[in-house]
């Protein structure tokens, strides 16, 4: 079957660095995306990895290893506004599959 | 403003009463999709459409119908809603080649009693 696994919850303090891991089992894999969703809001796109390696966008970076079916989202210099749920998602064969989400709580 | 709109935002209905949730995007995107979000399950894709008149089943299509007669619109139809379809629904769209970069509507919270 197809599945994505990510931790359900992560807690960190303001200014720290946190890594959210995602492992996947899927066929026809094209790439790994990350989305952020604040409570009561809609998911918003953060990043995409189509190739192995690190992609950096400001304080956020995302990494992919196709051979390990593994990726992560790295959030640096955490701010209170980063408290949200983060979803990894796989785009394959024209459909999208999301992980169950990781709820990040940033504490002062 | 580039956006995806959904209507209604909130809906309470009864079992068996047909309903339609509309979705429209103004970005000329080819790809559109419907998801449902339930606690602990993340987002699950219901149906998607690669372009006009082209639709396909996602992960959880049972009990839902869609149509794509125009590029901008992608309505979700529940012919006979049941309580297990109580959920938060999101419509999303994306353009090629960045189909993985999806823009989501604000969501529709549906309660079926």
């Amino acid at each position: 079957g197809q599945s994505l696994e990510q931790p359900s919850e992560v807690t960190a303090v303001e200014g720290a660095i946190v890594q959210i891991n995602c492992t996947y089992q899927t066929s026809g894999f094209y790439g790994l995306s990350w989305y952020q969703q604040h409570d009561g809001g809609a998911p918003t796109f953060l990043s995409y990895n189509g190739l192995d390696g690190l992609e950096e966008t400001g304080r956020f970076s995302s990494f992919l290893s196709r051979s390990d079916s593994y990726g992560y989202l790295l959030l640096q210099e955490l701010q209170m506004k980063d408290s949200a749920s983060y979803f990894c998602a796989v785009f394959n064969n024209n459909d999208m599959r999301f992980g169950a989400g990781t709820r990040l709580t940033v504490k002062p | 403003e580039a956006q995806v709109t959904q209507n209604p935002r909130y809906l309470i209905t009864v079992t068996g009463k047909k309903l339609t949730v509309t979705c429209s995007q103004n970005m000329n995107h080819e790809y559109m999709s419907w998801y449902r979000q339930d606690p602990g399950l993340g987002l699950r894709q219901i149906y998607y459409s690669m372009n006009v008149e082209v639709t396909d089943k996602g992960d959880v299509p049972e009990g839902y119908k869609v149509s794509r007669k125009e590029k901008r619109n992608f309505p979700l139809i529940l012919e006979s809603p049941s309580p297990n379809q109580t959920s938060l629904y999101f419509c999303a769209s994306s353009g090629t080649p960045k189909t993985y970069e999806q823009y989501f509507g604000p969501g529709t919270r549906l309660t079926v009693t």
Side-chain angles (χ1 to χ4, degrees), chain A residues 51-96:
Chain A
L51 301 173
D52 283 2
L54 193 68
E55 293 284 340
E56 297 181 77
T57 310
R59 295 187 295 114
F60 294 0
S61 304
S62 57
F63 172 83
L64 175 65
S65 169
R66 286 172 170 263
S67 59
D68 295 323
S69 297
Y70 163 76
Y72 67 71
L73 179 69
L74 190 74
L75 298 86
Q76 303 181 74
E77 301 172 19
L78 281 174
Q79 302 175 9
M80 298 297 290
K81 67 179 182 180
D82 297 329
S83 291
S85 292
Y86 293 83
F87 297 88
C88 58
V90 166
F91 186 75
N92 58 288
N93 294 330
N94 299 324
D95 62 23
M96 285 280 285

Side-chain angles (χ1 to χ4, degrees), chain B residues 4-111:
Chain B
V4 179
T5 56
Q6 295 177 227
N7 282 293
R9 294 289 313 279
Y10 302 90
L11 180 60
I12 301 174
T13 190
V14 296
T15 299
K17 185 176 181 182
K18 181 180 178 180
L19 66 92
T20 299
V21 184
T22 64
C23 172
S24 184
Q25 50 93 5
N26 63 1
M27 295 169 279
N28 200 36
H29 283 165
E30 293 82 8
Y31 189 95
M32 296 188 75
S33 182
W34 276 102
Y35 299 89
R36 61 177 289 173
Q37 185 172 32
D38 303 288
L41 296 178
L43 290 145
R44 293 182 293 167
Q45 193 173 45
I46 302 170
Y47 270 94
Y48 63 91
S49 169
M50 295 296 292
N51 215 322
V52 176
E53 302 292 1
V54 180
T55 63
D56 212 341
K57 296 177 181 178
D59 217 10
V60 288
E62 294 78 20
Y64 304 95
K65 283 176 58 177
V66 293
S67 68
R68 188 91 181 272
K69 292 183 170 54
E70 304 166 282
K71 197 172 187 180
R72 64 182 292 128
N73 296 323
F74 191 45
L76 179 70
I77 303 156
L78 285 73
E79 295 266 3
S80 183
S82 62
N84 65 11
Q85 292 179 299
T86 292
S87 187
L88 178 60
Y89 292 86
F90 287 102
C91 179
S93 73
S94 56
T96 55
K98 293 184 177 181
T99 318
Y100 50 81
E101 184 176 341
Q102 302 210 342
Y103 293 80
F104 282 79
T108 295
R109 186 163 292 282
L110 172 66
T111 302

